[in-house]
Amino acid sequence: MLAEFGYGVLVVTFLVTIYSVIAAYYGARTKSTKLVESARRAMLLTFPLISVSAATLIYLLVNNHYEVSFVYEVTSRSMPTYLKITAWWGGQSGSLVFWAFLLSGFTSAVTLRKWDRDIEFLPWVIVVCGITVTFFLGLVVFYENPFTRFWQVAGGVEPSMFAPIAGAQLFTPADGRGLNPLLRHPGMVIHPPMLYLGFVSFVIPYAFAIAALITGRTDDRWIRLTRRWTLWAWLFLSFGLVLGGRWAYDVLGWGGYWGWDPVEIAAFMPWLTGTAFLHSVMIQEKRGLLKHWNMILVILTYSLVIFGTFLTRSGVLSSVHAFAESAIGPLFFIFIGVSFVAAIALLIWRWPELRGETEMKSMLSREALFLLNNLLFMGILVICFWGVIFPLISELFTGQKVTVGPPFYERATAPLFSALLFLMAIAPLSAWGHSTIQTLGRSMWKSAIAAAVVTVILFITFTQNIGALVGFTIVAFAIFITLQEFWRGARARQKTQGEGFFTALARLTSRNRRRYGGYIIHISMALMAIGILGIEIFQSETQGTLAQGEALDIAGYTVEYRELASWDNAGEGVNYTRAVVDVFKDGIYLGELNPRIDYYAEAQQNMTIPGNRSTLRDDLYVLLVDWQPVSSMGATFKIYVNPLVNWLWIGSLLFLVGILVAAWPDKDPENEPVRVTRSSRQTSAAD
Amino acid sequence: MTETNNTPKRVGVPIWVQIVIWVSLVGLLALMGFGLQRARNPMAELDQPVPDFNLVFYEGYEYNNTAEMKLSDFQGKIVVINIWASWCKPCEQEAPELEQAWQSYKDAGEVVFIGVDYVDTPAGANEYLTKFNITFPNAPDLKSVISSTLNRQMGVPETYLIDREGVLRQVKIGPFSSVEEIDAFINIAR
Amino acid sequence: MKKTLLIFTFVFMLAALFTGTALAQDSTPPTDNEVNAIAKQLYCPVCESTPLDVCPTEACKDWREQIRTMLAEGKTEDEILQHFVDQYGDRVMAEPPAKGFNWIIYLLPPIIILIGAIILFRSLKEWTTPKVVAAGSSVENEAGEASTPKDEYLSKFEEELKKRK
């Protein structure tokens, strides 16, 4: 009964969104305010509708309704309730409903805003968002219905929404298969929704960009309206990526956080274009340049979101994350085809009207450096994109399957990433419009000296590795310069306003949140770079089979195997094997670690959970690889020492702070000064 | 993706840029279409001739003491190709049944069983073949050519039935559970 | 700027070269670390995107045993890698071998980036061709300010603060 209800609501929502799209379209064509208003209300209706359907699905999940095939696939009786709820996005059909739910939530939020000044955008924003919602709902209604149930028929059990033959009885399995053990980690509980939020919220800037192209109102208005949306979208996406990394580090048991897996890259590509957009959009706001380019970036970002989703869900690429064979591939294919063609056609059509207004004055001006930044981001994007699709190309043309793995990406992107870090350091010093070597040099020499001192100290005390030294120098330089910016701003306020230093610092930041939030993000990026350099260049590892009492030595640590225990947890259907090892450093006892292997009988899957001792200096990451039967009690351990990796996580926390500072809603976000006019432009460089 | 036309005279997108953009888009979509098609058709086409491939048998598991053969050498015989691996648990379920079935066919010479060992090491293969007393011909799937020729996508084991004319007649995904099932499977080509 | 970039590129390429050093051979039974050093460079087709040294599947365990056997037989790292390539195809390597058709993967991204750079610098040049050379100097500070007058960034900043009061 409930399943029918949930499905019925989905179908109704699907019809409502179709109506909304059509009404908005005709409303715009006939300039009928009434029709547009009706479309807007229909769109507002979709969110409560999907919520009801989603609530039904969650109810079924939580209450063990295993006659529903989705519930059977992703939950089991032994799972705690919170996991049953989050199983919502643990499978293909549920996660599509989740997408549609988020999409319609964002669409509703944006249609609720005051439109008086931008009423011509409204119908087209509804059309674009509406089509996307309709598409996802269509996938769910026709292909991946989460409310499909099992029916008892002559030949066995058949999954179907409604009774396949008259009088067929529902079939309810005694227990479900349970969520993939890899997805039961707390990180995995929030990682997908964060990522989806990031993906989905990019639809809003995209819709505005398309609306601007269609209406021909190609001034900066659409950018002003969507700036904050973009920041929030970027926040979610970034946070989703970081959480994914943390999850990999904690659960996948290979001593790393990022494997250059196609699915990871698919999520990383929109982040690259989104980040490039956040920078280049400032040039348009300040200087009226790059209108084309920003349009392209926004469209590219959302296209990459859709494209990445298609790649990972259609089975086109095989990957550890890939959802197995799926019926939605062809429909998805048509959707991306149509949306790419439409976006490109619109861009080409409106191209002449998007020309920039001003000229640049210096190759070292901030806008020039921002452009260089964009070039680097695009370079990384090209490498990622090409690496992801090359195996397909190779198979198509030579019949030869190939792997494009981490070495390719690392070698290709490392110079670009370090150049980006360097730019990140110096760009804030350059002024809008003009800068010279002299002005730049004057403002950076102190930081440069400080960075050089750091480098010398590192060279003497820590490492002679050239790559690492170059990396750390850039990082130190970036941090010093950014801190110097804070210090200078605060000092200036201190002098002019007579405030205390910290008051000045706080007020400075809160009055120029986007700027100083951005700086905080820059510092966090530099901290993350420390972690990445540490683990990439200085990671050491060893592996050995130990008898009880034996020890392995690595990088100053001694890891001694004490004991091992294995037991079943019948209620959860898991077998735990847990080792106890004692950790010493230079003869001093530091405590014990408990690496373990969880075997999920139902899924026939092992999970290798590391025992990790984390300090600011390094992580001691111990994995239980294998163990011998009870008699000998020998066990094989793999041990990594990951220097500095904690800075990656510290950096990501600071990163979060930075984005929150930059993106937190103002009292009146609309009421910002319009782009400065030519005469006042010179003086507004500090904004 | 160019910012070139900033002079007031040339305002539109140059035609060659448009051509480049559309061609790359079509190329990309074609590539995705290819990938999609490949992903959605996991099995070799039924009732179509199977493209030829080489078999380099494991030592001691040759066919009539011939170390290297082609699939086409078996024209006129019914060929049962069983793809397996020593690390594959379900394969172990069907291994005794396959050997038992082979014993009933081998003397007549009408049906040939060929084991194809997918992504395996010689040591592992040897252990497995000895453990289950396999006697029918077996060859490693070098460079995964055989499994990709047969469009194997799902997992191991998979069994392919090729008739006397070299046409693929049936595919079984997953292990057989009985000798009768194997007999029924083969009878389709007889 | 460009020069610095070049230097960085060079340095990082150097760094990349140094990372892949081979392990020495001796007569003692091969250790797990020696096995892993080779396994790290291989990708088993059964578990895509996971290097062999950390892949937990049975197939990969067998592969690691194979490496151990071959090491014990005194095979070199290159011989072992070549064995796996011969047996299982190019896909076992972390990267496509730089030959034939595969060259595209290594050549295309730099070419595109180069084209992008050329377009960018040409556009920049076009934009920077001076129409009116606006004086780089900002508004001068009032005398009483303690800041160094040379620091034009700061002076601008104070301008800004005044405006916002």
PDB file of all heavy atoms in Angstrom, chain A residues 184-198:
ATOM      1  N   ARG A 184      29.227   1.762   5.182  1.00  0.00           N
ATOM      2  CA  ARG A 184      28.668   1.893   6.522  1.00  0.00           C
ATOM      3  C   ARG A 184      29.478   2.812   7.409  1.00  0.00           C
ATOM      4  O   ARG A 184      29.159   2.999   8.571  1.00  0.00           O
ATOM      5  CB  ARG A 184      28.569   0.501   7.174  1.00  0.00           C
ATOM      6  CG  ARG A 184      27.637  -0.402   6.404  1.00  0.00           C
ATOM      7  CD  ARG A 184      27.395  -1.689   7.139  1.00  0.00           C
ATOM      8  NE  ARG A 184      26.647  -2.617   6.290  1.00  0.00           N
ATOM      9  CZ  ARG A 184      26.154  -3.758   6.703  1.00  0.00           C
ATOM     10  NH1 ARG A 184      26.304  -4.107   7.958  1.00  0.00           N
ATOM     11  NH2 ARG A 184      25.494  -4.536   5.882  1.00  0.00           N
ATOM     12  N   HIS A 185      30.531   3.352   6.878  1.00  0.00           N
ATOM     13  CA  HIS A 185      31.388   4.240   7.655  1.00  0.00           C
ATOM     14  C   HIS A 185      30.717   5.604   7.817  1.00  0.00           C
ATOM     15  O   HIS A 185      30.056   6.078   6.905  1.00  0.00           O
ATOM     16  CB  HIS A 185      32.709   4.383   6.899  1.00  0.00           C
ATOM     17  CG  HIS A 185      33.696   5.282   7.546  1.00  0.00           C
ATOM     18  ND1 HIS A 185      33.809   6.606   7.201  1.00  0.00           N
ATOM     19  CD2 HIS A 185      34.612   5.060   8.509  1.00  0.00           C
ATOM     20  CE1 HIS A 185      34.773   7.147   7.939  1.00  0.00           C
ATOM     21  NE2 HIS A 185      35.274   6.229   8.729  1.00  0.00           N
ATOM     22  N   PRO A 186      30.873   6.231   9.001  1.00  0.00           N
ATOM     23  CA  PRO A 186      30.235   7.550   9.196  1.00  0.00           C
ATOM     24  C   PRO A 186      30.614   8.552   8.105  1.00  0.00           C
ATOM     25  O   PRO A 186      29.787   9.359   7.678  1.00  0.00           O
ATOM     26  CB  PRO A 186      30.787   8.006  10.548  1.00  0.00           C
ATOM     27  CG  PRO A 186      31.216   6.774  11.243  1.00  0.00           C
ATOM     28  CD  PRO A 186      31.549   5.743  10.214  1.00  0.00           C
ATOM     29  N   GLY A 187      31.855   8.485   7.641  1.00  0.00           N
ATOM     30  CA  GLY A 187      32.276   9.390   6.564  1.00  0.00           C
ATOM     31  C   GLY A 187      31.439   9.173   5.318  1.00  0.00           C
ATOM     32  O   GLY A 187      31.093  10.111   4.604  1.00  0.00           O
ATOM     33  N   MET A 188      31.109   7.926   5.077  1.00  0.00           N
ATOM     34  CA  MET A 188      30.338   7.601   3.875  1.00  0.00           C
ATOM     35  C   MET A 188      28.890   8.012   4.046  1.00  0.00           C
ATOM     36  O   MET A 188      28.162   8.158   3.077  1.00  0.00           O
ATOM     37  CB  MET A 188      30.448   6.099   3.603  1.00  0.00           C
ATOM     38  CG  MET A 188      30.398   5.735   2.163  1.00  0.00           C
ATOM     39  SD  MET A 188      31.517   6.761   1.221  1.00  0.00           S
ATOM     40  CE  MET A 188      31.002   6.345  -0.413  1.00  0.00           C
ATOM     41  N   VAL A 189      28.472   8.164   5.303  1.00  0.00           N
ATOM     42  CA  VAL A 189      27.098   8.576   5.541  1.00  0.00           C
ATOM     43  C   VAL A 189      26.914  10.031   5.104  1.00  0.00           C
ATOM     44  O   VAL A 189      25.880  10.396   4.556  1.00  0.00           O
ATOM     45  CB  VAL A 189      26.751   8.380   7.032  1.00  0.00           C
ATOM     46  CG1 VAL A 189      25.443   9.033   7.368  1.00  0.00           C
ATOM     47  CG2 VAL A 189      26.714   6.905   7.360  1.00  0.00           C
ATOM     48  N   ILE A 190      27.919  10.870   5.314  1.00  0.00           N
ATOM     49  CA  ILE A 190      27.751  12.273   4.916  1.00  0.00           C
ATOM     50  C   ILE A 190      28.473  12.654   3.635  1.00  0.00           C
ATOM     51  O   ILE A 190      28.171  13.669   3.035  1.00  0.00           O
ATOM     52  CB  ILE A 190      28.161  13.262   6.033  1.00  0.00           C
ATOM     53  CG1 ILE A 190      29.343  12.715   6.796  1.00  0.00           C
ATOM     54  CG2 ILE A 190      26.992  13.581   6.922  1.00  0.00           C
ATOM     55  CD1 ILE A 190      29.831  13.652   7.872  1.00  0.00           C
ATOM     56  N   HIS A 191      29.420  11.828   3.225  1.00  0.00           N
ATOM     57  CA  HIS A 191      30.158  12.167   1.999  1.00  0.00           C
ATOM     58  C   HIS A 191      29.258  12.249   0.767  1.00  0.00           C
ATOM     59  O   HIS A 191      29.273  13.270   0.074  1.00  0.00           O
ATOM     60  CB  HIS A 191      31.307  11.173   1.822  1.00  0.00           C
ATOM     61  CG  HIS A 191      31.826  10.984   0.449  1.00  0.00           C
ATOM     62  ND1 HIS A 191      32.541  11.961  -0.214  1.00  0.00           N
ATOM     63  CD2 HIS A 191      31.745   9.947  -0.401  1.00  0.00           C
ATOM     64  CE1 HIS A 191      32.876  11.496  -1.410  1.00  0.00           C
ATOM     65  NE2 HIS A 191      32.401  10.280  -1.541  1.00  0.00           N
ATOM     66  N   PRO A 192      28.425  11.232   0.488  1.00  0.00           N
ATOM     67  CA  PRO A 192      27.603  11.364  -0.724  1.00  0.00           C
ATOM     68  C   PRO A 192      26.634  12.539  -0.697  1.00  0.00           C
ATOM     69  O   PRO A 192      26.582  13.294  -1.668  1.00  0.00           O
ATOM     70  CB  PRO A 192      26.859  10.025  -0.794  1.00  0.00           C
ATOM     71  CG  PRO A 192      27.610   9.107   0.079  1.00  0.00           C
ATOM     72  CD  PRO A 192      28.220   9.940   1.143  1.00  0.00           C
ATOM     73  N   PRO A 193      25.905  12.764   0.429  1.00  0.00           N
ATOM     74  CA  PRO A 193      24.996  13.916   0.385  1.00  0.00           C
ATOM     75  C   PRO A 193      25.716  15.238   0.168  1.00  0.00           C
ATOM     76  O   PRO A 193      25.214  16.103  -0.547  1.00  0.00           O
ATOM     77  CB  PRO A 193      24.298  13.899   1.745  1.00  0.00           C
ATOM     78  CG  PRO A 193      24.852  12.791   2.497  1.00  0.00           C
ATOM     79  CD  PRO A 193      25.699  11.960   1.640  1.00  0.00           C
ATOM     80  N   MET A 194      26.905  15.376   0.767  1.00  0.00           N
ATOM     81  CA  MET A 194      27.664  16.610   0.558  1.00  0.00           C
ATOM     82  C   MET A 194      28.023  16.789  -0.911  1.00  0.00           C
ATOM     83  O   MET A 194      27.852  17.849  -1.495  1.00  0.00           O
ATOM     84  CB  MET A 194      28.966  16.556   1.359  1.00  0.00           C
ATOM     85  CG  MET A 194      28.825  16.946   2.785  1.00  0.00           C
ATOM     86  SD  MET A 194      28.350  18.673   2.903  1.00  0.00           S
ATOM     87  CE  MET A 194      27.650  18.683   4.518  1.00  0.00           C
ATOM     88  N   LEU A 195      28.499  15.688  -1.489  1.00  0.00           N
ATOM     89  CA  LEU A 195      28.894  15.732  -2.884  1.00  0.00           C
ATOM     90  C   LEU A 195      27.674  16.026  -3.764  1.00  0.00           C
ATOM     91  O   LEU A 195      27.722  16.870  -4.660  1.00  0.00           O
ATOM     92  CB  LEU A 195      29.494  14.375  -3.255  1.00  0.00           C
ATOM     93  CG  LEU A 195      30.661  14.354  -4.218  1.00  0.00           C
ATOM     94  CD1 LEU A 195      31.733  15.340  -3.812  1.00  0.00           C
ATOM     95  CD2 LEU A 195      31.244  12.948  -4.277  1.00  0.00           C
ATOM     96  N   TYR A 196      26.563  15.349  -3.457  1.00  0.00           N
ATOM     97  CA  TYR A 196      25.353  15.570  -4.250  1.00  0.00           C
ATOM     98  C   TYR A 196      24.879  17.007  -4.105  1.00  0.00           C
ATOM     99  O   TYR A 196      24.453  17.634  -5.069  1.00  0.00           O
ATOM    100  CB  TYR A 196      24.232  14.618  -3.823  1.00  0.00           C
ATOM    101  CG  TYR A 196      24.484  13.162  -4.144  1.00  0.00           C
ATOM    102  CD1 TYR A 196      23.727  12.162  -3.566  1.00  0.00           C
ATOM    103  CD2 TYR A 196      25.485  12.784  -5.032  1.00  0.00           C
ATOM    104  CE1 TYR A 196      23.963  10.827  -3.852  1.00  0.00           C
ATOM    105  CE2 TYR A 196      25.724  11.455  -5.314  1.00  0.00           C
ATOM    106  CZ  TYR A 196      24.963  10.474  -4.727  1.00  0.00           C
ATOM    107  OH  TYR A 196      25.194   9.160  -5.006  1.00  0.00           O
ATOM    108  N   LEU A 197      24.952  17.521  -2.860  1.00  0.00           N
ATOM    109  CA  LEU A 197      24.556  18.917  -2.636  1.00  0.00           C
ATOM    110  C   LEU A 197      25.394  19.837  -3.512  1.00  0.00           C
ATOM    111  O   LEU A 197      24.883  20.760  -4.145  1.00  0.00           O
ATOM    112  CB  LEU A 197      24.773  19.297  -1.172  1.00  0.00           C
ATOM    113  CG  LEU A 197      23.620  19.098  -0.208  1.00  0.00           C
ATOM    114  CD1 LEU A 197      24.100  19.348   1.215  1.00  0.00           C
ATOM    115  CD2 LEU A 197      22.483  20.030  -0.537  1.00  0.00           C
ATOM    116  N   GLY A 198      26.701  19.565  -3.529  1.00  0.00           N
ATOM    117  CA  GLY A 198      27.592  20.373  -4.353  1.00  0.00           C
ATOM    118  C   GLY A 198      27.231  20.262  -5.815  1.00  0.00           C
ATOM    119  O   GLY A 198      27.108  21.263  -6.523  1.00  0.00           O
TER     120      GLY A 198
END
